[in-house]
Amino acid sequence: MSLTPRPAAAPEGSGRHGHGGGRRGGGPETARRPPRRRALRWSAIVLAVVILGTASAGYLYYEHLNGNIHKGRRTGADDSKAQRTRPNAAGQTPLNILLIGSDSRNSDANVALGGSRDNRGNPPLGDVQMLIHLSADRRSAAMVSIPRDTRVDIPECEDPGTGKSYPATNDIINTSLARGGAGCTLATWENLTGVYIDHWMTIDFAGVVRMADAIGGVEVCVNQNVWDRSTPSQRGGSGLKLRAGRKKVQGVQALQWLRTRHAWGSDLMRARAQHMYLNSMLRTLRQQSVFTDTGRLTDLAEAATRSLTVSEEIGTVKKLYDLGMELKSVPSDRITSVTMPSVEDPLNGQHVVPDKAGADRMWRMLRDDVPFDGNGGETKKKGQAEPARTPSTDAARLGVLVQNATRSAAEAAVPGRARAIGQVLVRHGYARAGTDTSAAVSADRTLVRYPSADLEGDAQAVAKALGIPAGQVERSTDVSGVTVVVGADWRTGTAYPKKSAPRAGDLPSNSDALNGSDTSPCMDVYKPYRW
């Protein structure tokens, strides 16, 4: 900065550009800017600094939120037998997200909230497992729970962090999380249901508390005073203590509600209580001005990104926000919560297995994107038909392998099924049809699988000969030629059983369906836990 005194002002009337008014050196004097122009210039500079500063702060905060998110591999299994649902007439496909509640006690916060300090350091179990299904047209949604003590086939999985491999096994579904993480749980669901799952999310005890606090309370209801505590006959309990009626729960009390099992009488009723909470939470968020209240939105974003671990494809704030907006767009009366139909496990009375008829109907509705509610008010648009392909090989020369996959969690395999269906194929001209006896496999539904595009037409022709629907023909790297997988849905007869297409709202009676707009449900309390 120059410290030279400013020259005296020119006398009134003297010319600024005349000979007497020039600077030393004879050059013309630069014109002074009027005060108004200087003010405008400085205002523009200040405004630019404010805008740039705000944008930078916004970008840094966005990156901070992204940094909060923990990510993992989508699946922990090498091969999935689930196929994406075909696009509808508008080219849209459904979206399936698996939500897993972990009982991890690998932090001070989780030990304090979950108790059971002896389990610190043990692999976490997936005690809450719920599939969120958004229809292709985004006009309806479903939330489907599987009880944690359901015995299922768990495929071979690999832990993406350690590289440790876990062999396939038959066990209760909550143990899948400990066999390679959320990707293994996703693969287990896909193998059980045949539903392709796009993403997963996990949340632990501390995450539930953070999210519940950020939301500001969710209304729940009990018909009697409840206190879920240890009793002489049953140790443990969530600690939930509420008086009868409608109450708002948040923070630790919200976690207690979601974890309560003994006071409701069973795991199935715990799923019902969780559905009631989530339906109420969605209604609460709709009623709040979350997306116009910067403070609330910031609190929710901070809590969500710190609380969730997600599959890597949705590991950004924008993608999570977009998912939330898609779910928000579904009307409450088009959201249906259900629990997989189940029956007592014949091998262990403390466990359950899928009720085959009811569960299969539910899985088919998800695969075919049939709404779980009947409130659509219009006929569902059918998906685009898959064009038929021309077989590349004469039936007499085509090698076809038939596998007996009729074993399920509830029933043993039916002896001789592969041979019986192979003989049907021989009668249809497939003289080289043979039986695969190399390994015991299981599948809930019958499939025709093929390894490469050149065999697609042959696989379709085999399916047609057996009466198997075209939607059950799929490409898979798990086979070396056209393979018929005779599933648990075809245990008898030589003609594939025909099933009528499910209709909107045609749920099994034992699925305990709740509609998202229904505010009347209230939990009954098992007598030992009343006070």
Side-chain angles (χ1 to χ4, degrees), residues 9 139-140 182 231 247 258 292 296 312 354 361 366 416 428 436 470 474 516 518 522:
R139 295 178 183 173
S140 68
T231 66
K247 311 289 179 185
L258 294 169
T292 57
R296 289 295 319 286
E312 54 197 358
R361 189 197 309 177
L366 288 173
H428 280 279
D436 180 12
E474 62 182 38
D518 188 357
C522 206

Side-chain angles (χ1 to χ4, degrees), residues 17 26 62 107 111 271 296 307 361 369 436 464:
H17 301 292
Y62 177 78
S107 70
V111 168
R296 289 295 319 286
S307 302
R361 189 197 309 177
D369 196 28
D436 180 12
K464 184 176 180 180

Side-chain angles (χ1 to χ4, degrees), residues 54-363:
T54 303
S56 298
Y59 172 78
L60 291 174
Y61 187 65
Y62 177 78
E63 288 302 299
H64 159 73
L65 291 176
N66 277 336
N68 283 345
I69 302 171
H70 296 282
K71 299 181 281 289
R73 217 165 66 189
R74 176 186 164 273
T75 180
D78 292 333
D79 182 53
S80 169
K81 298 177 178 60
Q83 300 289 311
R84 290 181 184 272
T85 301
R86 292 179 181 136
N88 63 14
Q92 302 164 307
T93 55
L95 183 65
N96 295 303
I97 306 161
L98 183 62
L99 179 62
I100 305 167
S102 164
D103 77 344
S104 170
R105 291 171 174 83
N106 292 335
S107 70
D108 291 341
N110 283 330
V111 168
L113 293 166
S116 193
R117 289 167 174 76
D118 293 342
N119 287 326
R120 181 161 190 162
N122 290 346
L125 300 175
D127 278 355
V128 178
Q129 299 184 22
M130 189 180 302
L131 183 68
I132 299 172
H133 172 89
L134 279 169
S135 66
D137 60 12
R138 302 301 190 263
R139 295 178 183 173
S140 68
M143 295 189 289
V144 184
S145 291
I146 292 181
R148 69 171 193 169
D149 290 334
T150 303
R151 183 166 60 85
V152 296
D153 288 325
I154 300 174
E156 179 181 356
C157 294
E158 180 183 291
D159 188 316
T162 65
K164 180 178 178 180
S165 181
Y166 294 86
T169 188
N170 183 261
D171 204 344
I172 57 176
I173 198 167
N174 76 335
T175 63
S176 60
L177 189 63
R179 301 174 62 82
C184 188
T185 303
L186 181 148
T188 301
W189 270 72
E190 286 193 335
N191 284 356
L192 174 67
T193 67
V195 175
Y196 182 87
I197 300 174
D198 301 271
H199 315 297
W200 55 257
M201 299 181 182
T202 66
I203 188 168
D204 59 16
F205 296 151
V208 171
V209 172
R210 280 194 294 267
M211 288 294 293
D213 279 336
I215 292 167
V218 170
E219 187 178 82
V220 296
C221 181
V222 286
N223 285 321
Q224 301 87 18
N225 293 349
V226 59
W227 187 8
D228 192 54
R229 65 201 187 282
S230 288
T231 66
S233 60
Q234 180 67 62
R235 297 289 298 166
S238 70
L240 178 71
K241 191 174 186 179
L242 290 174
R243 291 193 177 276
R246 299 191 173 278
K247 311 289 179 185
K248 268 196 172 184
V249 295
Q250 68 182 93
V252 173
Q253 203 169 45
L255 174 65
Q256 290 172 338
W257 176 274
L258 294 169
R259 292 188 65 212
T260 293
R261 177 169 52 131
H262 299 145
W264 309 141
S266 71
D267 238 4
L268 301 179
M269 287 297 99
R270 176 164 76 164
R272 182 180 180 84
Q274 291 165 352
H275 294 159
M276 286 169 53
Y277 178 92
L278 288 173
N279 284 337
S280 181
M281 181 188 76
L282 290 172
R283 291 194 300 268
T284 299
L285 289 173
R286 287 177 189 281
Q287 293 161 5
Q288 297 174 347
S289 302
V290 173
F291 296 97
T292 57
D293 184 335
T294 304
R296 289 295 319 286
L297 184 58
T298 299
D299 289 346
L300 276 172
E302 190 74 42
T305 54
R306 288 180 60 206
S307 302
L308 296 170
T309 300
V310 302
S311 52
E312 54 197 358
E313 331 79 51
I314 53 170
T316 68
V317 173
K318 182 181 185 308
K319 290 178 180 176
L320 290 175
Y321 177 84
D322 289 345
L323 285 178
M325 291 302 292
E326 288 197 87
L327 184 58
K328 181 177 178 287
S329 69
V330 180
S332 294
D333 70 343
R334 301 297 314 278
I335 299 175
T336 309
S337 305
V338 296
T339 301
M340 179 197 74
S342 60
V343 294
E344 184 178 301
D345 184 353
L347 303 183
N348 185 335
Q350 300 300 310
H351 300 160
V352 297
V353 292
D355 172 25
K356 183 164 175 46
D360 282 355
R361 189 197 309 177
M362 188 178 290
W363 307 147

Side-chain angles (χ1 to χ4, degrees), residues 26-42:
E29 182 185 2
T30 302
R32 291 179 182 273
R33 290 182 174 86
R36 183 172 177 274
R37 290 181 63 191
R38 284 202 305 273
L40 287 174
R41 181 186 66 176
W42 281 107

